[in-house]
Amino acid sequence: GASSGAASTSGVASLPPSRLFKLLPDGRTVHREPSSPTGGMAAVAAALAQINLQAYAAAFDAEGYDDISFLRGLDAAERADVAKETGMKPGHAGKFAKHGFERP
């Protein structure tokens, strides 16, 4: 049952280690389970708590903003859109748009 064709390995070795998949010794990749404290919505909620906006964690979750890396990569205008979509009060929205997850 083994296939005689040479398996294509182009580019596989040069891929950076993925946060979502881990490479098994036999070359297969398996999906990593997101570890609760460091990833997914928990990370977003923790970041919001650091800037005293934890009240919006449920809104972020409801709107699908559950990727902290993505959120940290947004510019001020994009953060303003997120603030609007998650229903932030104007003062909170302004702070979030200006400073993101950094404390002022």
Side-chain angles (χ1 to χ4, degrees), residues 16-88:
S18 170
R19 291 180 299 114
L20 298 177
F21 295 90
K22 61 184 173 188
L23 196 62
L24 297 179
D26 63 1
R28 290 181 301 147
T29 55
V30 294
H31 199 73
R32 283 187 199 268
E33 290 302 312
S35 46
S36 298
T38 55
M41 198 54 224
V44 175
L48 287 167
Q50 285 182 326
I51 54 172
N52 295 317
L53 296 180
Q54 63 269 31
Y56 298 105
F60 271 66
D61 195 16
E63 296 297 332
Y65 294 113
D66 56 1
D67 183 336
I68 192 65
S69 311
F70 169 77
L71 289 167
R72 287 190 188 279
L74 299 178
D75 64 26
E78 291 167 327
R79 286 196 300 268
D81 287 340
V82 170
K84 195 178 304 176
E85 287 168 29
T86 54
M88 284 190 187

Side-chain angles (χ1 to χ4, degrees), residues 3-14:
S3 67
S4 55
S8 169
T9 55
S10 62
V12 172
S14 63

